[in-house]
């Protein structure tokens, strides 16, 4: 179908692939091409396409009950919340349909906390450059990427941006008596697979505790086992007060959640927030099935094994193709390559030449976001396809 005939709002530059069916790490296009899918709905289908446990969960629940809204008790919602809290720092959960809504809930929870805590002047939220928190107003203001905020009216009051690695500015922000919270991705996803050093996360916790400032983690992309621990912040041995998650939580079904300690959520009382669809029975049934698989120790062990292999192989590629690959980044299976050639072109060469699907990222990176259950065989295939893409890139750059 031609672009001109499309009735879709033109906000996406879509790859010329018509997808039809998926199975595990494979994506089958309408024209018969089979792709090795290391995008997986952007780090979302963490168990691959059409995982039998998830398919069964959808089928079973679809015949029972889809939606009732949150004016009724939803047993699977209470159960998934309990499972999430059992495996995290959190005491309470609010379910959403997307990552950006989980971020909105986190921002509102933080401001409302200070309001009910007798410090209504604490409204300032500090984010970092290169961050991505979603596309709703609060989320774009928190990340403050100009290409997502420009033209959309005045910048929202109380949102500020810190430069990555500027510790002095961060300290000053935390010491500011009007600061409500710091929002950060422990590993930046869209920004180009940048992990915050563990020591910085621990330092952040100490400083925030000292000044009564809340920490919001956005683990929408880096959570749910992607880094080889269930939550990315576990690597640093510290905990946030509030955390937004989504993407992999439903294994491809739209689910998000805002997790919080009881203390940080103390302003979120009846009427303070809500969602019609959030936490609906269908989503919760799939979420329980997906989270059950993702949180298994075997799943995390497998991620670490494959991630170790990939890291070694990608560093090898960087050594052989220093004219193509500048840097290997990321954590676990949130893997990034900072490139010399344009990342969009490289993605097209991988897709059209090798039938390998990879994602773009900030700072001229490409991201490999395979399903967490990708086999070693498939990971090897991905590396071979990347190697041939690097060869092709070298040829094209020489031409
Ligand atoms: C994808 C993403 C979001 C937004 O999630 P949506 O479901 O697209 O709203 C927020 N934060 C991070 C870190 C993300 O990767």
């Amino acid at each position: 179908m031609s672009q001109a005939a499309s009735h879709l709002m033109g906000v996406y530059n879509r790859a010329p692939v018509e997808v039809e069916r998926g199975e595990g790490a494979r994506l089958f296009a309408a024209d018969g091409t089979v792709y090795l899918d290391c995008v997986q709905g952007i780090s979302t289908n963490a168990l691959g396409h059409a995982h039998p446990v998830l398919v069964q969960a959808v089928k079973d629940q679809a015949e029972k009950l889809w939606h009732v809204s949150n004016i009724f008790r939803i047993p699977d919602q209470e159960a998934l919340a309990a499972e999430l809290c059992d495996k995290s720092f959190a005491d309470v959960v609010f379910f959403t349909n997307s990552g950006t809504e989980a971020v909105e809930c986190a921002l509102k929870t933080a401001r409302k906390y200070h309001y009910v805590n007798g410090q209504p002047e604490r409204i300032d939220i500090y984010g970092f450059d290169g961050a991505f928190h979603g596309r709703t107003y609060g989320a774009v203001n928190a990340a403050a990427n100009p290409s997502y905020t420009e033209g959309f009216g005045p910048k929202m009051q109380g949102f500020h941006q810190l430069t990555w690695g500027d510790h002095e500015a961060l300290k000053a922000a935390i010491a500011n008596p009007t600061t409500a919270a710091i929002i950060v991705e422990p590993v930046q996803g869209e920004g180009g697979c940048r992990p915050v050093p563990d020591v910085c996360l621990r330092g952040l916790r100490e400083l925030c505790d000292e000044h009564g400032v809340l920490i919001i983690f956005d683990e929408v992309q880096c959570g749910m086992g992607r880094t080889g621990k269930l939550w990315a912040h576990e690597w640093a041995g510290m905990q946030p007060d509030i955390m937004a998650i989504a993407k992999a939580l439903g294994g491809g079904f739209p689910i998000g959640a805002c997790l919080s300690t009881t203390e940080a959520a103390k302003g979120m009382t009846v009427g303070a927030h809500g969602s019609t669809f959030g936490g609906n029975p269908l989503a919760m049934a799939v979420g329980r099935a997906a989270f059950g698989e993702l949180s298994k120790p075997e799943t995390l062990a497998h991620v670490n094994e494959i991630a170790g292999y990939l890291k070694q192989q990608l560093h090898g590629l960087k050594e052989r193709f220093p004219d193509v690959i500048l840097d290997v980044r990321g954590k676990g299976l949130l893997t990034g390559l900072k490139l010399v050639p344009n990342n969009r072109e490289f993605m097209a060469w991988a897709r059209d030449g090798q039938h390998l699907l990879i994602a773009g990222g900030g700072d001229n990176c490409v991201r490999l976001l395979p399903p967490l259950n990708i086999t070693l065989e498939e990971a090897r295939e991905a590396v071979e396809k990347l190697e041939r893409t690097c060869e092709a890139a070298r040829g094209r750059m020489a031409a």
Side-chain angles (χ1 to χ4, degrees), residues 59-113:
K59 282 184 178 169
D60 291 346
Q61 188 61 38
E63 290 177 354
K64 279 195 271 181
L65 184 68
W66 294 14
H67 177 71
V68 290
S69 92
N70 287 297
I71 55 179
F72 299 101
R73 291 187 65 174
I74 300 169
D76 272 340
Q77 188 183 123
E78 294 182 22
L80 182 54
E83 285 153 18
L84 286 167
C85 290
D86 182 50
K87 292 194 154 60
S88 74
F89 70 96
D91 306 307
V92 288
V93 179
F94 180 86
F95 286 105
T96 69
N97 312 288
S98 65
T100 201
E101 290 170 83
V103 168
E104 293 294 328
C105 180
L107 297 170
K108 288 176 74 176
T109 300
R111 278 187 170 170
K112 195 73 188 289
Y113 164 77

Side-chain angles (χ1 to χ4, degrees), residues 109-166:
T109 300
R111 278 187 170 170
K112 195 73 188 289
Y113 164 77
H114 293 293
Y115 180 83
V116 300
N117 208 34
Q119 292 187 296
E121 71 281 6
R122 283 193 181 268
I123 60 154
D124 289 322
I125 311 271
Y126 286 83
F128 289 87
D129 67 326
F132 182 75
H133 299 303
R135 300 301 202 122
T136 49
Y137 268 106
V140 292
N141 276 276
N145 180 337
S147 53
Y148 298 158
T149 54
E150 217 175 283
F152 293 108
K155 219 179 152 328
M156 219 181 264
Q157 216 190 327
F159 285 90
H160 310 275
Q161 208 189 11
L162 294 162
T163 303
W164 180 276
D166 186 347

Side-chain angles (χ1 to χ4, degrees), residues 141-209:
N141 276 276
N145 180 337
S147 53
Y148 298 158
T149 54
E150 217 175 283
F152 293 108
K155 219 179 152 328
M156 219 181 264
Q157 216 190 327
F159 285 90
H160 310 275
Q161 208 189 11
L162 294 162
T163 303
W164 180 276
D166 186 347
H167 292 109
E168 290 316 306
L170 176 61
K171 277 182 198 164
I174 293 170
N176 191 328
T178 59
T179 299
I182 308 292
I183 180 167
V184 62
E185 295 160 83
V187 184
Q188 278 189 352
E190 304 298 310
C193 298
R194 275 198 298 188
V196 180
D198 291 346
V199 61
C200 295
L201 290 180
R202 288 193 291 269
L204 180 69
R205 182 72 273 174
E206 263 173 45
L207 276 174
C208 285
D209 283 344

